[in-house]
Amino acid sequence: MEKFFGENVPKLGFGLMRLPKLTNGKIDIEQTKKMVDLFMNAGFTYFDTAYVYDNGESEAAAKAALVDRYPRESFTLCTKLCAWMGAHDEKSAKQQFYTSLERTGAGYFDYYLLHALQRNNYKKYDEYHIWDFVKEQKAKGLIKYFGFSFHADPALLEELLTDHPDVDFIQLQINYADWENPGVASRECYEIARKHGKSITVMEPVKGGSLADPVPAVKELLKAADPDASYASWAIRYVASLDGIITVLSGMSDIEQMNDNLSYMKNFKPLGETEQAAILKAQSILNGDRSIPCTACHYCTDGCPMNIPIPEIFSIANRRRGNSEFAGKREYAAVTSNSGKASDCIECGQCEKACPQQINVITRLKDCVKQFDTIIQLKT
């Protein structure tokens, strides 16, 4: 008998948010098929997508690479309804569920989430009666288990779990960098979920890829602790070692990442005492890090009137720290060649409302203008 809901689910889930892309920007279905095959052949079954991922391409890719190629009972599929993005009223919000069924061809969803609840959007799910709608679909057998994904403060999580005690599970952002980060509060949110008896699926265990390529001091520390372990393995195993975890989602973008994750998760072992001590030291180092905490979810760019590639600019700014004055200029010129520059920001604020990391995007973009001012001059 399970100690908690989802205890027996394999602890690596395939997040379909950062799938490999072709040169035209479309999802590479053939490479995705190969990744799905590797994942399934290793004994893993949990796939996670959402109505808004890649403007629907992610759900369509799930159909082409997974649903059309494997028996329905051999895998589990999770998708999400977003009442604050891609919806403008109750009808359009509820329509997302039916569109997701059509896109994926799955027939039903094993797991279904109200997507990315935050302080500035959670009331939409009440206003549009989405909680009751999802329960109706569960009663019809179109959803097996439902819950919500969450990007806000512990007090709101406490409120939501008190008001909705019948959710089956929740999805939280948990990683060792954000464990004590007040902007994410991974530890507090985790503890509240477990206090309410809720099992957890984990998103952003590698923090948008930043923990797969951490700051030099953390790299040095982890390599000394285990020269053969990838940096990503530390992050994913850390979260998978927690109690009450259904699975840990990894947004894998190529076969190399898939093979690395499978190498240590196929026969998963929780972190030992020495490894936990290394993570504590890594957390101490990261607490003094001043990188922009962007996970490249791209929620900020969907409504940007100036078409500014905000996550890509922030990534370049993070990599530039400590390097020469002109470091990153080619990368910056490349990512802004057919889009807006940091200096094009009109401070409308939609990006900050959408950002699940609560980043002061406008201020950070102003910092990037200062960093890349010479680059702008070179281009104009």
Side-chain angles (χ1 to χ4, degrees), residues 180-192:
E180 298 292 353
N181 175 3
V184 178
S186 286
R187 178 185 58 78
E188 288 185 76
C189 289
Y190 166 78
E191 290 174 353
I192 289 169

Side-chain angles (χ1 to χ4, degrees), residues 183-367:
V184 178
S186 286
R187 178 185 58 78
E188 288 185 76
C189 289
Y190 166 78
E191 290 174 353
I192 289 169
R194 296 303 293 143
K195 181 187 73 174
H196 282 265
K198 302 305 176 186
S199 298
I200 302 159
T201 53
V202 177
M203 57 184 161
E204 303 295 353
V206 193
K207 199 172 172 65
S210 65
L211 298 182
D213 184 26
V215 296
V218 171
K219 285 183 177 180
E220 183 179 349
L221 169 70
L222 298 182
K223 276 302 177 187
D226 187 346
D228 298 324
S230 68
Y231 302 120
S233 72
W234 284 92
I236 291 176
R237 287 181 60 224
Y238 170 80
V239 182
S241 300
L242 296 170
D243 176 67
I245 302 300
I246 299 171
T247 199
V248 180
L249 301 171
S250 178
M252 295 168 275
S253 301
D254 55 46
I255 290 174
E256 182 181 0
Q257 291 175 6
M258 174 65 74
N259 283 329
D260 178 52
N261 283 345
L262 296 179
S263 70
Y264 56 84
M265 290 302 290
K266 187 173 182 179
N267 297 302
F268 165 67
K269 294 181 181 179
L271 292 182
E273 186 175 335
T274 301
E275 291 170 311
Q276 290 283 6
I279 289 292
L280 281 173
K281 292 178 182 178
Q283 289 171 325
S284 178
I285 293 169
L286 291 172
N287 285 340
D289 183 42
R290 294 295 177 265
S291 298
I292 304 172
C294 175
T295 63
C297 68
H298 283 89
Y299 294 165
C300 61
T301 60
D302 287 341
C304 177
M306 305 309 292
N307 192 30
I308 301 171
I310 298 168
E312 287 75 15
I313 291 174
F314 285 172
S315 176
I316 293 167
N318 283 341
R319 292 198 303 273
R320 183 184 183 275
R321 291 178 305 112
N323 293 330
S324 64
E325 182 180 356
F326 294 102
K329 67 180 180 180
R330 292 176 183 170
E331 292 171 319
Y332 183 82
V335 302
T336 59
S337 60
N338 295 306
S339 58
K341 301 186 290 291
S343 57
D344 292 327
C345 176
I346 60 173
E347 301 185 27
C348 66
Q350 76 81 29
C351 52
E352 295 188 353
K353 292 179 181 178
C355 180
Q357 308 303 321
Q358 288 83 52
I359 298 171
N360 295 321
V361 179
I362 295 170
T363 299
R364 293 289 199 167
L365 282 175
K366 289 179 179 178
D367 292 340

Side-chain angles (χ1 to χ4, degrees), residues 32-263:
T32 301
K33 287 179 180 179
K34 293 176 183 177
M35 295 170 69
V36 166
D37 292 344
L38 287 168
F39 189 78
M40 291 286 286
N41 290 338
F44 296 97
T45 59
Y46 195 110
F47 294 82
D48 173 273
T49 183
Y51 175 85
V52 298
Y53 288 174
D54 281 303
N55 295 313
E57 278 193 59
S58 176
E59 289 186 328
K63 183 179 190 299
L66 175 66
V67 178
D68 289 348
R69 300 173 64 241
Y70 284 90
R72 183 61 185 89
E73 67 278 5
S74 66
F75 62 87
T76 58
L77 182 63
C78 176
T79 195
K80 312 175 189 75
L81 185 158
C82 190
W84 54 276
M85 185 187 299
H88 56 274
D89 57 18
E90 182 171 336
K91 182 178 179 180
S92 61
K94 291 178 177 178
Q95 179 58 42
Q96 289 185 15
F97 173 77
Y98 302 110
T99 300
S100 292
L101 278 178
E102 182 179 359
R103 283 175 180 167
T104 62
Y108 63 91
F109 296 114
D110 303 273
Y111 303 92
Y112 199 76
L113 293 167
L114 280 59
H115 195 174
L117 272 66
Q118 303 174 52
R119 278 283 174 189
N120 61 3
N121 67 39
Y122 77 98
K123 291 182 179 179
K124 284 287 185 185
Y125 293 91
D126 294 306
E127 179 184 344
Y128 295 160
H129 306 104
I130 301 302
W131 296 97
D132 290 335
F133 173 73
V134 170
K135 292 175 192 176
E136 290 168 7
Q137 307 316 310
K138 182 178 180 181
K140 294 175 183 177
L142 296 177
I143 293 170
K144 287 190 174 182
Y145 307 106
F146 84 99
F148 59 90
S149 61
F150 185 77
H151 288 283
D153 57 277
L156 180 58
L157 181 59
E158 180 74 48
E159 178 183 334
L160 289 170
L161 289 177
T162 300
D163 291 346
H164 302 283
D166 50 353
V167 299
D168 297 301
F169 72 112
I170 62 173
Q171 187 159 300
L172 295 177
Q173 176 173 322
I174 304 177
N175 56 68
Y176 69 78
D178 289 324
W179 191 242
E180 298 292 353
N181 175 3
V184 178
S186 286
R187 178 185 58 78
E188 288 185 76
C189 289
Y190 166 78
E191 290 174 353
I192 289 169
R194 296 303 293 143
K195 181 187 73 174
H196 282 265
K198 302 305 176 186
S199 298
I200 302 159
T201 53
V202 177
M203 57 184 161
E204 303 295 353
V206 193
K207 199 172 172 65
S210 65
L211 298 182
D213 184 26
V215 296
V218 171
K219 285 183 177 180
E220 183 179 349
L221 169 70
L222 298 182
K223 276 302 177 187
D226 187 346
D228 298 324
S230 68
Y231 302 120
S233 72
W234 284 92
I236 291 176
R237 287 181 60 224
Y238 170 80
V239 182
S241 300
L242 296 170
D243 176 67
I245 302 300
I246 299 171
T247 199
V248 180
L249 301 171
S250 178
M252 295 168 275
S253 301
D254 55 46
I255 290 174
E256 182 181 0
Q257 291 175 6
M258 174 65 74
N259 283 329
D260 178 52
N261 283 345
L262 296 179
S263 70

